[in-house]
Amino acid sequence: MTRTHHFDSLDMSVVTDPEVATALPQLLTEWRARKRWDDLAPAVLVFHAHILDSFLKHGHPPSLKGVDEATLEKLQEHDLIVLNDGAIEHTYPFAATPMPHTVTINGVTNFNVCALDAFGASAMVGALGHVRLDCAACGDSISVSIGKDGLVLNAAMPEDARIWAGIVASGECAASSQCQSMLGFCSQTHLDQWRAAQSDQNKGFCFDSTQALQAGAALFRPFVRRARSVG
């Protein structure tokens, strides 16, 4: 069987929910999967892992002093980082600027680019985590405790919390396009009210917390695995 970019860019071994399995190839389009990983040199992948490690250990990206400009350009071209004024603003799943989504891993809290990024960060490193989201409708806090290997949902409060994962057909970087439509809601009611008020946010998937965890894990577990393969 021919390997596809989706196969390489998603870890479907952690997905047991059929709705999540249906959603993921539509959320990570063939174009975005191809753009993300094609033709990256080992040294570029290693530096990408270094950025993630800085977020995980220190809660912020590393200094870019002395970093080869070509490496940064390559990572930005492949939508693995977003630069702003010569500094790293986003390195999925982490953000260096305030966002309504955070994850705490090993005592270090980071902002996340979108709600699914927050759910996937713990699985990316196989660690316990605590996710906090602001409801996109009312601002109330959503709290999610993630257990063993970053793959087990221990608790979600409110229990009826929902994650909306919108489908955005865009050639822009994910942070300024698709991530804008991946949001947390404290209830199905608030998600429904929010969707009713939108003119262009009705194509996508509604996940409960367990489904969001599987989707996030499938998206982000390959990040560290790729770096280890060349490290």
Side-chain angles (χ1 to χ4, degrees):
M1 182 176 67
T2 302
R3 291 175 69 89
T4 68
H5 293 290
H6 283 134
F7 185 93
D8 289 331
S9 299
L10 294 168
D11 184 351
M12 298 301 290
S13 70
V14 299
V15 177
T16 60
D17 188 288
E19 291 185 27
V20 177
T22 298
L24 282 169
Q26 297 180 61
L27 295 171
L28 184 65
T29 64
E30 185 75 11
W31 174 86
R32 199 176 293 285
R34 184 170 61 251
K35 178 183 178 183
R36 175 162 284 170
W37 298 117
D38 269 7
D39 303 323
L40 284 176
V44 177
L45 287 172
V46 168
F47 185 69
H48 176 241
H50 172 64
I51 301 172
L52 293 175
D53 192 55
S54 181
F55 273 103
L56 287 162
K57 290 181 177 178
H58 308 297
H60 57 76
S63 167
L64 298 182
K65 184 178 180 179
V67 177
D68 181 33
E69 190 69 26
T71 294
L72 298 175
E73 289 178 358
K74 201 69 173 176
L75 287 170
Q76 187 160 234
E77 286 171 6
H78 284 246
D79 200 21
L80 288 167
I81 66 172
V82 176
L83 299 174
N84 186 17
D85 291 332
I88 294 173
E89 184 173 25
H90 304 310
T91 301
Y92 312 99
F94 303 122
T97 54
M99 295 285 176
H101 338 278
T102 67
V103 65
T104 301
I105 301 171
N106 293 326
V108 179
T109 299
N110 278 289
F111 293 108
N112 298 104
V113 185
C114 74
L116 283 187
D117 289 17
F119 275 89
S122 296
M124 181 179 73
V125 293
L128 308 181
H130 184 266
V131 170
R132 188 198 62 77
L133 312 173
D134 293 339
C135 176
C138 71
D140 283 358
S141 181
I142 302 160
S143 177
V144 180
S145 175
I146 299 173
K148 182 176 173 58
D149 297 327
L151 298 173
V152 177
L153 182 72
N154 285 343
M157 292 297 294
E159 293 182 357
D160 189 39
R162 293 291 184 266
I163 306 302
W164 176 250
I167 297 174
V168 177
S170 173
E172 302 174 31
C173 74
S176 62
S177 56
Q178 190 161 32
C179 288
Q180 301 296 315
S181 69
M182 294 188 174
L183 305 167
F185 294 87
C186 65
S187 66
Q188 182 69 53
T189 298
H190 276 192
L191 170 56
D192 292 342
Q193 291 173 350
W194 177 85
R195 289 185 65 194
Q198 309 302 308
S199 60
D200 59 351
Q201 294 284 359
N202 283 312
K203 187 176 181 182
F205 299 91
C206 173
F207 295 145
D208 62 24
S209 295
T210 297
Q211 291 171 319
L213 180 57
Q214 289 189 18
L219 286 164
F220 285 101
R221 274 167 60 94
F223 275 45
V224 170
R225 186 174 67 227
R226 284 177 180 273
R228 287 173 178 165
S229 71
V230 298

